[in-house]
Amino acid sequence: KAGVTQTPRYLIKTRGQQVTLSCSPISGHRSVSWYQQTPGQGLQFLFEYFSETQRNKGNFPGRFSGRQFSNSRSEMNVSTLELGDSALYLCASSSILAGGVNEQFFGPGTRLTVL
Amino acid sequence: AQSVTQPDIHITVSEGASLELRCNYSYGATPYLFWYVQSPGQGLQLLLKYFSGDTLVQGIKGFEAEFKRSQSSFNLRKPSVHWSDAAEYFCAVGSNNNDMRFGAGTRLTVKP
């Protein structure tokens, strides 16, 4: 099976712009989670989608949003970009294990730089 | 809510030496524990996982981890480190509400 793919791999934007990142999960996986990774804050959970519905949300401002399509592909959007949004954004595709726990498989990430 | 602590931010070992990376978790029920590795600029790769059963679990690349409930620990070990093991390692705890929490990570440097 092909792994999780994320596009684009690199992005440079300026403050105030908006950006959309895309994630294609592993075939058959219906859950997609997004994380922000920065040197200062580490890996922080943004949100999780399952069957086109947001199931969980982390502690991020409303500028961060996402959606999932019927084919399980997901996008996340960040509006009004700030310098602090510069980060590696990771998408994880999950299979549901016994007990309802996700086993997450990560994509290579999108490196966003905000100037 | 569950949480994970990785006490060591950075560890340096010599190639061929043994390795142990520490992980402590906090979770009210039986934890679901994971170790991931991340090479620079890359995503996270799953090394191994524990859900139940044998407390010593084997993973890829020669890694193993031992679950110790009494110590709330899930330390990662490797008997002989290779230069290619240099990377950042993350311990994570999951739950059945689809909420996974990661530790801050431990950066491993391997000396020749």
Side-chain angles (χ1 to χ4, degrees):
Chain A
K1 281 186 180 178
V4 179
T5 57
Q6 291 187 246
T7 56
R9 291 293 310 277
Y10 302 92
L11 263 180
I12 299 176
K13 293 285 188 179
T14 56
R15 279 181 298 175
Q17 288 187 307
Q18 76 164 21
V19 67
T20 298
L21 312 181
S22 181
C23 172
S24 293
I26 293 170
S27 177
H29 287 189
R30 293 165 62 192
S31 170
V32 173
S33 300
W34 288 90
Y35 294 85
Q36 181 195 65
Q37 186 178 29
T38 59
Q41 300 297 318
L43 268 162
Q44 293 186 284
F45 172 73
L46 280 156
F47 28 66
E48 186 229 0
Y49 285 86
F50 180 83
S51 293
E52 302 179 65
T53 301
Q54 187 181 88
R55 277 202 303 199
N56 282 302
K57 190 176 189 306
N59 189 27
F60 277 81
R63 300 185 297 107
F64 292 81
S65 63
R67 59 177 176 167
Q68 187 180 35
F69 302 95
S70 58
N71 62 358
S72 294
R73 190 177 69 84
S74 178
E75 289 181 347
M76 68 163 281
N77 184 277
V78 188
S79 62
T80 320
L81 283 166
E82 300 176 1
L83 294 179
D85 297 332
S86 294
L88 182 67
Y89 290 87
L90 293 164
C91 167
S93 153
S94 303
S95 60
I96 309 299
L97 301 168
V101 177
N102 285 350
E103 178 174 350
Q104 300 195 347
F105 298 86
F106 284 81
T110 294
R111 170 74 62 186
L112 172 65
T113 302
V114 182
L115 302 176
Chain B
Q2 65 267 37
S3 66
V4 176
T5 302
Q6 293 181 248
D8 305 306
I9 296 173
H10 183 207
I11 282 183
T12 300
V13 299
S14 298
E15 191 167 16
S18 63
L19 170 70
E20 182 168 25
L21 302 181
R22 296 184 290 165
C23 171
N24 293 99
Y25 67 90
S26 172
Y27 187 61
T30 300
Y32 300 85
L33 296 162
F34 306 82
W35 274 100
Y36 286 88
V37 60
Q38 184 180 34
S39 298
Q42 301 297 315
L44 277 68
Q45 181 184 21
L46 180 67
L47 284 174
L48 47 79
K49 58 184 183 283
Y50 171 80
F51 298 138
S52 64
D54 193 350
T55 56
L56 184 64
V57 293
Q58 302 297 321
I60 62 171
K61 304 187 179 188
F63 286 93
E64 65 178 28
E66 186 171 13
F67 170 64
K68 293 185 178 180
R69 185 186 297 276
S70 61
Q71 298 176 20
S72 297
S73 70
F74 188 57
N75 294 349
L76 182 71
R77 301 195 294 245
K78 186 168 184 178
S80 177
V81 169
H82 188 263
W83 64 266
S84 61
D85 293 324
E88 186 136 23
Y89 292 79
F90 293 90
C91 182
V93 58
S95 71
N96 58 6
N97 67 354
N98 306 304
D99 182 10
M100 181 174 277
R101 301 295 173 93
F102 288 83
T106 298
R107 185 162 62 91
L108 174 65
T109 298
V110 180
K111 292 191 303 185

